Amino acid sequence: MNNLVLQIDKKGILLDFKGQMENFLLTSAEGILGKNIYDIMSSDIAQSVMRCIENALHTGDVQGCEYQSPTSEHHYELKFIVNGKDRVFAFVSNISDYRQAAEKARYLAHHDTLTNLPNRYLFNDRLKQAIAHAERGKKLLAILFLDLDNFKQINDTIGHRAGDQLLQIVADRLMKGVRDTDTAYRLSSDEEAFVVARLGGDEFTVMLTDIGNIQDPAKVAGRMLNALSEPFNIGAHEIFITASVGIAVYPLDGKDVDTLLINADVAMYQAKKQGRNNYQYYSASLNDFTIERFSVENKLRKALDHNEFMLFYQPQIHISEGRMIGVEALIRWLQPDLVFIKPSEFIPLAEETGLIVPIGEWILRSACAQNRAWQEAGLDFFPVTVNVSSVQFRQNNFVETVSQILRDTGLKPDYLQLELTESTIMYHSENTNKKLQSLQAMGIQISIDDFGTGYSSMNYLKRFPLSTLKIDQSFVKDLVTNPTDQAIVKAIVSLAHNFNLKVIAEGVETKEQLAFLRECNCEGMQGYLVCPPLNPNTIVQFAKKGKYL
Ligand code: C2E
Ligand code: MG
Ligand code: MG
């Protein structure tokens, strides 16, 4: 069925035509004979037409092209047949209906008609592509296999039509649950990062690509279960449903489509066995890991609101003068069951989840307020040292936060010292330097924690405005017996002095260690030999003693 036949010569001049077609020709039929096709067609069709004419004349074969009008969304098929040595017939058909039907058929073949979600066929296809992608990029990928609990029973009770409606709402809620953009749990802004499909019946699958770590699928599974926990109102019924989810991770649990799907299914049955309404990883070892971490993370989220954190303070002592020169604030987490959790156990998790930002702000505020309170209680003035996590330091508003806290608490900047690790200040050093300069300009001192354990480049010592290096306790521990540690400690002290920095040794537990440090001219020490970290009230008594060595 041709709607339009044109006769065009090799220069593109329209010699004759039959039929009519809106949208394809720019003008009405009147007076178009003898015009160049560029004057009667939009330039992109005219370009393809010219190319086809040239090819047809050159090869003598039939040429064809398709064209979709960008404005009218019409599809055209064009066929060119040589007519003599310098002209062609062009047969133009509007194939829009055919195209739409084909598109629709394609969509139907790839989607579930009830929920409009991708079907098994499309899901497997996407999964295959994603596996190839993950393999190339050495990425993790997860399959979540979700099956509604007791769906058959519900379906039998409320009838199939209501059952279908329920499945449609389930599909919507699953999509929302997966897409949820809660920042901490966010997977990716990329819409392509996941596919939710209905395999049939009450079985749904989700593919998560590019997952950052092994816990991400569990977070999504948790969100999906959550999304189903609200009651479903269908007709007069209020229905409660739960689901069981199995998780398989590429490449741990399988490297191809079939294995991953089978293993996610196996894990789903495991979840059913565990009492339904839960999720399980195929690799059982991942379950404990995730649950353990999950529960600590949940507790950590609440700890700040529930006032479970407190700061202890460890005195720093001047070695030759024996007086107290400051205190270091060290966080303690006392859980409601009165279990103390060490910072080394929860700080990394707080950093990973971003919780360190509010927690770190609380630490700074409490330490500054505490130091101001000591000053008002009549103690000698000394600086409080606060450990700053790299995640916290990298916040754009870090300097403003510090200065706001000083204003709020009324502590002078001279009595605040910030402790950063080497890796913190080596990251993005341009920006770092600006921040350090601003802090120094305010009067705040900067010390480097755990010196010698991080970067070997010492270039930063002369670039950044620092005041103190802290010798890590790993060098102090065997100081008396280990000549290498002795050499390192001596080197750090003389390096610091060459750069006009003070040195404080950490973890000093014995008189012998102290004697060695004194001999090296190390200014300060911190450690159980004099005092462990104390609560703020005990510091008041301690500070009154005056002389400690
Ligand atoms: P750090 O800043 O190097 O702190 C020194 C650690 O050595 C503290 O451990 C302290 O209790 C311990 N210590 C003090 N004297 C001795 C001693 O004589 N012998 C031994 N063996 N250890 C001693 P803590 O409080 O468990 O803190 C561990 C790490 O956790 C800290 O290392 C610091 O990196 C981090 N941390 C502690 N509090 C905070 C905080 O408020 N904010 C941030 N961002 N990190 C903190
Ligand atoms: Mg420290
Ligand atoms: Mg340290």
Side-chain angles (χ1 to χ4, degrees):
M1 173 208 37
N2 298 312
N3 309 88
L4 183 64
V5 184
L6 307 166
Q7 209 178 145
I8 309 169
D9 78 3
K10 65 177 181 193
K11 293 201 181 109
I13 303 295
L14 180 67
L15 303 174
D16 195 8
F17 77 98
K18 233 191 208 89
Q20 58 179 355
M21 195 181 293
E22 285 162 19
N23 303 315
F24 185 71
L25 293 181
L26 288 178
T27 68
S28 66
E30 233 162 280
I32 59 173
L33 286 183
K35 288 209 166 149
N36 193 288
I37 57 167
Y38 276 94
D39 298 326
I40 56 172
M41 297 176 192
S42 70
S43 63
D44 33 353
I45 315 182
Q47 241 171 34
S48 328
V49 169
M50 276 320 290
R51 208 174 315 120
C52 287
I53 293 173
E54 277 159 24
N55 287 343
L57 289 172
H58 185 68
T59 60
D61 292 336
V62 177
Q63 297 291 318
C65 66
E66 279 190 20
Y67 172 75
Q68 183 184 7
S69 147
T71 47
S72 64
E73 289 178 6
H74 280 276
H75 269 91
Y76 304 100
E77 186 187 58
L78 289 83
K79 282 225 154 36
F80 297 84
I81 297 174
V82 179
N83 171 29
K85 68 175 182 359
D86 59 357
R87 59 185 61 182
V88 300
F89 283 120
F91 300 89
V92 183
S93 321
N94 186 333
I95 55 165
S96 307
D97 292 348
Y98 165 76
R99 260 305 146 97
Q100 263 170 20
E103 204 55 53
K104 181 104 196 274
R106 224 183 86 85
Y107 184 87
L108 289 176
H110 289 89
H111 290 81
D112 165 43
T113 42
L114 182 65
T115 61
N116 278 332
L117 290 177
N119 61 15
R120 180 189 296 271
Y121 178 80
L122 181 56
F123 184 80
N124 286 4
D125 192 56
R126 289 283 179 81
L127 179 55
K128 203 168 152 193
Q129 285 172 21
I131 289 173
H133 195 251
E135 189 179 357
R136 259 179 273 125
K138 306 247 173 298
K139 299 255 170 65
L140 292 174
L141 179 160
I143 302 299
L144 281 63
F145 198 114
L146 178 142
D147 186 286
L148 299 179
D149 297 329
N150 306 317
F151 180 69
K152 195 180 161 329
Q153 227 172 315
I154 295 170
N155 212 17
D156 290 347
T157 317
I158 62 174
H160 288 255
R161 189 170 295 174
D164 281 355
Q165 250 177 299
L166 179 67
L167 288 172
Q168 287 169 333
I169 307 175
V170 166
D172 282 353
R173 291 204 193 167
L174 291 180
M175 280 298 285
K176 287 200 190 99
V178 175
R179 190 182 276 141
D180 195 334
T181 45
D182 172 354
T183 44
Y185 287 178
R186 188 178 195 137
L187 286 166
S188 160
S189 55
D190 183 1
E191 289 282 306
E192 294 293 304
F194 67 87
V195 177
V196 180
R198 177 169 175 239
L199 294 198
D202 61 342
E203 289 178 347
F204 295 84
T205 44
V206 178
M207 172 179 85
L208 305 173
T209 59
D210 249 9
I211 51 175
N213 72 51
I214 208 85
Q215 277 102 32
D216 286 346
K219 290 173 185 168
V220 174
R223 285 208 308 247
M224 296 202 304
L225 295 179
N226 233 342
L228 299 182
S229 65
E230 296 275 310
F232 291 75
N233 292 309
I234 291 166
H237 304 278
E238 188 178 50
I239 298 158
F240 290 86
I241 55 168
T242 57
S244 304
V245 184
I247 304 171
V249 179
Y250 167 91
L252 277 64
D253 303 330
K255 294 188 174 163
D256 58 78
V257 170
D258 291 342
T259 316
L260 283 168
L261 276 170
I262 289 170
N263 288 344
D265 194 15
V266 169
M268 185 276 289
Y269 274 99
Q270 200 53 40
K272 295 254 184 215
K273 265 208 234 155
Q274 297 286 325
R276 305 166 196 256
N277 196 20
N278 74 103
Y279 57 81
Q280 292 290 317
Y281 279 88
Y282 176 71
S283 306
S285 58
L286 292 178
N287 291 326
D288 302 342
F289 185 51
T290 309
I291 290 161
E292 159 80 4
R293 200 193 116 114
F294 234 17
S295 80
V296 179
E297 190 179 317
N298 274 333
K299 287 184 195 157
L300 196 57
R301 281 180 192 281
K302 297 188 191 120
L304 198 55
D305 291 339
H306 294 181
N307 287 322
E308 291 169 18
F309 292 123
M310 49 200 299
L311 292 184
F312 272 38
Y313 296 89
Q314 185 171 39
Q316 299 170 324
I317 310 297
H318 197 284
I319 292 178
S320 59
E321 298 168 15
R323 65 189 168 86
M324 184 166 121
I325 48 175
V327 293
E328 176 178 7
L330 294 159
I331 192 167
R332 297 293 176 259
W333 179 12
L334 184 61
Q335 292 195 335
D337 49 9
L338 301 184
V339 175
F340 259 121
I341 303 192
K342 286 195 277 180
S344 55
E345 282 172 27
F346 68 86
I347 296 276
L349 189 61
E351 288 178 329
E352 240 180 81
T353 51
L355 288 168
I356 193 68
V357 176
I359 295 174
E361 205 177 315
W362 176 88
I363 296 169
L364 262 168
R365 190 172 290 276
S366 310
C368 291
Q370 181 61 64
N371 202 12
R372 185 69 198 119
W374 282 324
Q375 294 177 348
E376 282 173 348
L379 262 60
D380 283 347
F381 285 21
F382 50 77
V384 63
T385 297
V386 175
N387 290 284
V388 175
S389 149
S390 60
V391 179
Q392 198 186 351
F393 183 75
R394 277 177 221 158
Q395 299 292 307
N396 286 335
N397 61 351
F398 179 71
V399 175
E400 290 83 67
T401 305
V402 173
S403 93
Q404 184 63 45
I405 287 173
L406 287 171
R407 269 198 303 275
D408 292 348
T409 56
L411 184 72
K412 285 223 181 84
D414 316 60
Y415 298 109
L416 175 64
Q417 181 153 14
L418 298 180
E419 208 160 286
L420 304 166
T421 61
E422 290 177 286
S423 47
T424 302
I425 64 166
M426 291 313 289
Y427 184 88
H428 276 332
S429 59
E430 239 344 278
N431 207 348
T432 299
N433 204 11
K434 263 193 220 139
K435 284 186 184 167
L436 294 179
Q437 299 287 356
S438 324
L439 292 166
Q440 189 204 32
M442 282 160 61
I444 293 168
Q445 299 188 36
I446 310 291
S447 62
I448 300 299
D449 205 358
D450 308 340
F451 185 78
T453 61
Y455 277 77
S456 50
S457 152
M458 305 208 173
N459 205 14
Y460 68 87
L461 290 180
K462 66 168 192 259
R463 274 200 293 144
F464 295 150
L466 308 173
S467 71
T468 307
L469 298 187
K470 295 189 75 175
I471 302 178
D472 189 59
Q473 39 182 282
S474 60
F475 301 123
V476 176
K477 198 162 150 272
D478 301 322
L479 189 55
V480 179
T481 50
N482 185 329
T484 313
D485 287 344
Q486 294 177 351
I488 291 173
V489 168
K490 274 189 193 158
I492 294 177
V493 174
S494 80
L495 185 73
H497 289 166
N498 278 326
F499 283 98
N500 265 329
L501 305 172
K502 284 171 279 183
V503 201
I504 293 185
E506 291 188 313
V508 180
E509 295 182 357
T510 68
K511 285 190 181 131
E512 291 75 18
Q513 291 166 340
L514 179 66
F516 187 90
L517 291 164
R518 181 174 277 137
E519 213 175 285
C520 306
N521 286 325
C522 174
E523 279 89 11
M525 63 79 69
Q526 217 181 306
Y528 299 160
L529 176 65
V530 174
C531 190
L534 302 173
N535 71 43
N537 295 333
T538 321
I539 285 286
V540 173
Q541 294 149 28
F542 183 89
K544 286 181 181 152
K545 238 168 95 181
K547 190 129 175 86
Y548 306 92
L549 289 176

